[in-house]
């Protein structure tokens, strides 16, 4: 009888320990992430506990320290910009953090705790994200993780538009709309780096002053003046060789007027509407203008890998120069719990530069 009871107690103890280990293992495979059950306003952003992604072949699992907002995030939250097929439905297009786990078949020399930043198709508003290793970049040692989170989407977009799409040349004039945005602040610095001349539009004197401090040769307040006239005066009537346009419809006449003969008008957003009324094609034809359209999120992995590689070789070292010739511009930081307020801040067009989200609170992030 004694042996039966002892065996029973042993069995119960083992069952309890097994259950405890399963519970701990299950908890360890979870993470916090921002979810959207119903498309709508910022109040629909919900912080939840969800399953942690597992790295597939050729992927690296990143422990996310910070992410950053992009206009595409606002559209996705409203149900207007779904992720590409097969990608995470969690919002977020860029992160900075540390390497946690390597998936099978990873070829690069990545090691646990390496400080990395990455371009994503989704999944950034979370504590962990799994990323193809081709989209990882080592963070320059002089940058914090918070600063690094402001780089991947904005800087790779600006680099893609200038180099892959418009093929900017030394001495050309580049007009960048939304010059105080994340892409705009990156474009100003890249245009200078490539030996061209940046001019910008923005909606306040403060934003124009900041753009000037970054290297803009001229700036035009689109709320108070004709930027087409400003470009005409600045270039002596020749016009801008390249226009980086995230506004679209409402600006089309001024854009065509601002464009130089044989100029390249690069459209990468339609914040000002998609509809166009008038003689767009006739006016563009008279200038032999090129209308080029580009998105980044929906590009193939190979295209993004080539972009990351080119950026890493040509631009990334400039962040480490002393003094650094390039710097990410950060408007403000929010904790993940305050993601709705961060979205409201961007929707109100209050930001100058990037809005960064600390996934790990700064007082816990010693890196």
């Amino acid at each position: 009888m004694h042996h039966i009871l002892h065996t029973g107690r042993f069995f119960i103890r083992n069952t309890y320990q097994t259950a405890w280990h399963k519970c701990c293992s299950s908890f360890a495979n979870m993470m916090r992430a921002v979810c959207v059950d119903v498309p709508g306003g910022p109040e629909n952003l919900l912080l939840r506990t969800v399953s942690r992604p597992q790295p597939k072949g050729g992927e690296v699992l990143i422990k996310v320290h910070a992410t950053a907002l992009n206009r595409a995030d606002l559209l996705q939250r409203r149900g207007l910009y779904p992720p590409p097929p097969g990608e995470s439905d969690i919002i977020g297009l860029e992160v900075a953090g540390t390497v946690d786990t390597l998936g099978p078949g990873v070829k690069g020399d990545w090691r646990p705790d390496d400080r990395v930043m990455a371009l994503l198709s989704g999944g950034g508003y979370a504590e962990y994200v799994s990323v193809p290793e081709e989209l990882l970049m080592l963070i320059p040692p002089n940058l914090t993780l918070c600063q690094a989170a402001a780089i991947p989407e904005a800087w790779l977009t600006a680099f893609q538009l200038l180099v892959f799409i418009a093929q900017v040349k030394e001495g050309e004039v580049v007009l960048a709309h939304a010059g105080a945005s994340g892409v705009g602040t990156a474009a100003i610095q890249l245009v200078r780096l490539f030996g061209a001349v940046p001019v910008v539009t923005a909606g306040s004197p403060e934003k124009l002053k900041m753009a000037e401090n970054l290297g803009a040769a001229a700036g035009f307040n689109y709320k108070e003046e004709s930027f087409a006239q400003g470009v005409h005066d600045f270039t002596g009537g020749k016009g801008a060789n390249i226009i980086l346009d995230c506004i679209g419809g409402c600006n089309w006449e001024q854009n065509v007027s601002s464009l130089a003969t044989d100029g390249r008008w690069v459209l990468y957003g339609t914040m000002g509407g998609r509809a166009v009324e008038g003689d767009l094609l006739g006016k563009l034809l008279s200038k032999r203008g090129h209308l080029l359209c580009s998105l980044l999120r929906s590009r193939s992995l190979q295209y993004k890998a080539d972009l990351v590689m080119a950026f890493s070789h040509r631009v990334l070292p400039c962040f480490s120069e002393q003094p650094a010739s390039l710097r990410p511009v950060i408007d403000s930081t929010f904790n993940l719990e305050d993601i709705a307020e961060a979205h409201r801040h961007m929707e109100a067009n209050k930001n100058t530069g990037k809005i960064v989200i600390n996934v790990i609170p700064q007082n816990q992030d010693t890196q």
Side-chain angles (χ1 to χ4, degrees):
M1 187 71 171
H2 171 76
H3 292 293
I4 295 174
L5 289 175
H6 181 77
T7 303
R9 286 198 299 269
F10 179 78
F11 175 75
I12 292 170
R13 185 166 60 247
N14 274 4
T15 301
Y16 172 78
Q17 289 174 339
T18 300
W20 172 254
H21 285 307
K22 285 184 177 179
C23 177
C24 291
S25 176
S26 176
F27 181 77
N29 289 327
M30 305 301 284
M31 67 174 184
R32 295 188 309 157
V34 176
C35 303
V36 179
D37 291 341
V38 180
E43 67 277 4
N44 288 19
L45 295 165
L46 306 173
L47 188 57
R48 285 225 185 101
T49 299
V50 301
S51 296
R52 184 186 300 183
Q54 298 301 312
K56 301 174 185 175
E59 292 185 346
V60 174
L61 185 67
I62 299 175
K63 182 178 182 181
V64 179
H65 289 240
T67 183
L69 265 62
N70 293 280
R71 289 280 170 182
D73 301 353
L74 310 186
L75 295 174
Q76 182 171 338
R77 189 202 70 221
R78 292 164 55 197
L80 302 176
Y81 191 32
E87 300 293 346
S88 171
D89 59 3
I90 296 172
I91 300 173
L93 299 177
E94 57 194 337
V95 294
T98 53
V99 171
D100 182 86
T101 307
L102 303 182
V106 169
K107 299 177 181 178
D109 189 25
W110 306 106
R111 300 178 182 178
D113 296 325
D114 278 349
R115 297 187 338 136
V116 294
M117 53 188 177
L119 179 70
L120 311 175
S121 294
Y125 290 14
E127 292 180 319
Y128 291 86
V129 65
S130 190
V131 186
E133 65 170 320
E134 297 95 330
L135 305 186
L136 265 62
M137 295 172 280
L138 284 172
I139 296 173
N142 56 312
L143 294 182
T144 67
L145 289 161
C146 180
Q147 290 174 314
I151 292 176
E153 176 69 18
W155 284 79
L156 285 168
T157 294
F159 180 79
Q160 178 209 200
L161 299 177
L162 289 166
V163 177
F164 281 32
I165 308 299
Q167 300 180 9
V168 63
K169 300 178 180 61
E170 187 174 347
E172 291 189 317
V173 174
V174 179
L175 170 62
H177 289 307
S181 66
V183 174
T185 55
I188 292 168
Q189 297 177 72
L190 290 174
V191 169
R192 283 293 186 192
L193 181 68
F194 301 148
V197 182
V199 298
V200 303
T201 65
S204 73
E206 295 76 18
K207 291 183 176 183
L208 289 174
K209 181 63 177 177
M210 189 277 298
E212 179 184 333
N213 292 338
L214 288 174
F220 315 108
N221 188 333
Y222 65 86
K223 294 181 179 179
E224 299 179 352
E225 62 183 316
S226 164
F227 68 80
Q229 186 61 51
V231 171
H232 183 276
D233 293 344
F234 178 81
T235 61
K238 294 180 180 179
N241 305 102
I242 296 170
I243 300 175
L244 303 185
D245 181 20
C246 57
I247 306 300
C250 67
N251 274 354
W252 80 263
E253 288 187 281
Q254 288 200 73
N255 277 332
V256 175
S257 178
S258 301
L259 196 65
T261 301
D262 295 316
R264 289 93 78 200
W265 172 9
V266 182
L267 180 69
Y268 68 101
T270 54
M271 290 170 53
R274 299 182 177 186
V276 171
E277 294 183 4
D279 188 22
L280 167 60
L281 296 180
K283 292 180 182 294
L284 192 61
L285 181 62
S286 70
K287 288 197 169 184
R288 301 195 302 270
H290 302 252
L291 178 57
L292 306 168
C293 302
S294 183
L295 295 172
L296 180 53
R297 187 183 192 183
S298 57
R299 296 279 190 175
S300 69
L301 175 58
Q302 186 59 58
Y303 180 96
K304 293 176 183 177
D306 292 342
L307 179 65
V308 167
M309 181 176 294
F311 179 84
S312 297
H313 285 126
R314 191 169 177 183
V315 176
L316 202 54
C318 298
F319 286 98
S320 300
E321 293 176 351
Q322 295 298 328
S325 56
L326 301 176
R327 64 180 180 90
V329 177
I330 296 176
D331 169 83
S332 52
T333 59
F334 294 81
N335 288 333
L336 191 62
E337 294 80 2
D338 302 316
I339 187 66
E341 190 58 34
H343 272 232
R344 292 187 185 99
H345 187 70
M346 175 172 274
E347 287 187 323
N349 291 321
K350 293 180 179 179
N351 60 300
T352 300
K354 293 286 286 186
I355 300 170
V356 173
I357 307 299
N358 289 311
V359 177
I360 297 179
Q362 286 187 311
N363 59 357
Q364 297 179 29
D365 185 358
T366 59
Q367 299 190 58

